[in-house]
Amino acid sequence: MAKTRPGKRDIDSYTIKGSNKIVRAGDCVLMRPSDTSKPPYVARVEKIEQDGRSNVKVRVRWYYRPEESIGGRRQFHGAKELFLSDHYDVQSAHTIEGKCIVHSFKNYTKLENVGAEDYYCRFEYKAATGAFTPDRVAVYCKCEMPYNPDDLMVQCEGCKDWYHPACVGMTIEEAKKLDHFVCSECSSDDDLKKSHMTFPVSPASDAKVEPKRRKRGP
């Protein structure tokens, strides 16, 4: 007689192996890659389920690091920046190494101290096409680049735009000592107001690429 396949059921939480940390749907987690020389993958847990043999699996939505995207890492991408992708998977809960926090971009910039578990996300990412939402963001400084929270910037008291010290002929040390700053354009014309331009963040190519399946650790 054929054996009945053990049924699956949704469960509310999972305790990470070797710790007392509890994971629930909606939490962000670090997941072990098969190549231990690489940093852990980051994912958002959508659902947790257990079969009749007490095996626990999680349905996750992956965050991509900039270097994992089609366009690759760019100058304005921060070290802790992630993209929320449309790439879903089901993985063994045993590959969860720990929990982390993926902040909104605005909240991340307000952190007084950034911990190892802190990340941020300002874009959603389509893994098959490399498209971003939003596909344009405000740019700053003479170099007309989007804001990277890892970089020190100084604000002009006239136009209220932000500048990289190097772009206005200043060292980081000099910028930290500033009490006031007026850019060259405002110092020559006090009435000049600059409007922000926008910067495309999606790859120009229309070629579609299938998402690569991620290899997890055992």
Side-chain angles (χ1 to χ4, degrees):
M1 180 182 293
K3 293 182 179 180
T4 303
R5 185 178 178 181
K8 295 180 180 179
R9 64 185 180 90
D10 292 348
I11 57 176
D12 293 330
S13 63
Y14 169 78
T15 302
I16 299 174
K17 189 176 181 180
S19 77
N20 59 356
K21 294 182 179 179
I22 298 174
V23 174
R24 294 182 172 86
D27 287 344
C28 293
V29 295
L30 303 170
M31 304 196 74
R32 183 173 61 252
S34 58
D35 184 349
T36 55
S37 66
K38 293 183 178 181
Y41 293 120
V42 182
R44 189 172 74 190
V45 176
E46 302 292 309
K47 186 170 72 169
I48 308 171
E49 61 181 26
Q50 185 178 51
D51 64 22
R53 297 177 181 175
S54 298
N55 296 315
V56 180
K57 292 194 173 183
V58 288
R59 176 174 169 79
V60 299
R61 184 176 180 182
W62 296 115
Y63 284 97
Y64 278 47
R65 287 183 170 83
E67 57 268 25
E68 297 172 327
S69 68
I70 293 174
R73 180 171 287 279
R74 304 175 79 169
Q75 182 180 343
F76 63 89
H77 291 142
K80 305 301 290 288
E81 183 156 10
L82 302 171
F83 310 142
L84 181 60
S85 79
D86 58 354
H87 181 185
Y88 293 82
D89 257 333
V90 175
Q91 297 288 326
S92 169
H94 291 303
T95 62
I96 299 176
E97 291 186 326
K99 296 177 69 174
C100 62
I101 304 171
V102 181
H103 302 270
S104 69
F105 183 67
K106 182 177 181 180
N107 288 344
Y108 181 84
T109 60
K110 294 179 179 179
L111 293 178
E112 291 186 5
N113 296 296
V114 176
E117 74 283 359
D118 290 311
Y119 296 87
Y120 71 90
C121 177
R122 56 178 158 179
F123 299 111
E124 291 195 11
Y125 174 72
K126 290 188 177 297
T129 64
F132 289 91
T133 303
D135 66 348
R136 287 179 178 270
V137 291
V139 297
Y140 303 89
C141 190
K142 292 180 177 181
C143 61
E144 295 182 353
M145 292 297 291
Y147 177 49
N148 180 341
D150 298 339
D151 294 339
L152 175 68
M153 300 186 80
V154 293
Q155 187 179 36
C156 172
E157 294 181 354
C159 62
K160 304 302 182 185
D161 202 354
W162 291 85
Y163 293 85
H164 300 109
C167 294
V168 291
M170 201 184 310
T171 66
I172 298 294
E173 291 70 25
E174 289 171 338
K176 288 180 178 179
K177 296 176 182 177
L178 281 179
D179 290 324
H180 304 281
F181 171 70
V182 178
C183 71
S184 58
E185 293 188 36
C186 288
S187 62
S188 61
D189 183 355
D190 291 339
D191 295 327
L192 179 63
K193 301 295 181 183
K194 295 194 302 178
S195 61
H196 288 314
M197 298 174 65
T198 58
F199 184 85
V201 295
S202 296
S205 172
D206 293 329
K208 292 188 176 182
V209 179
E210 289 298 321
K212 294 180 180 178
R213 182 160 184 85
R214 296 182 159 197
K215 295 181 180 179
R216 307 292 141 188

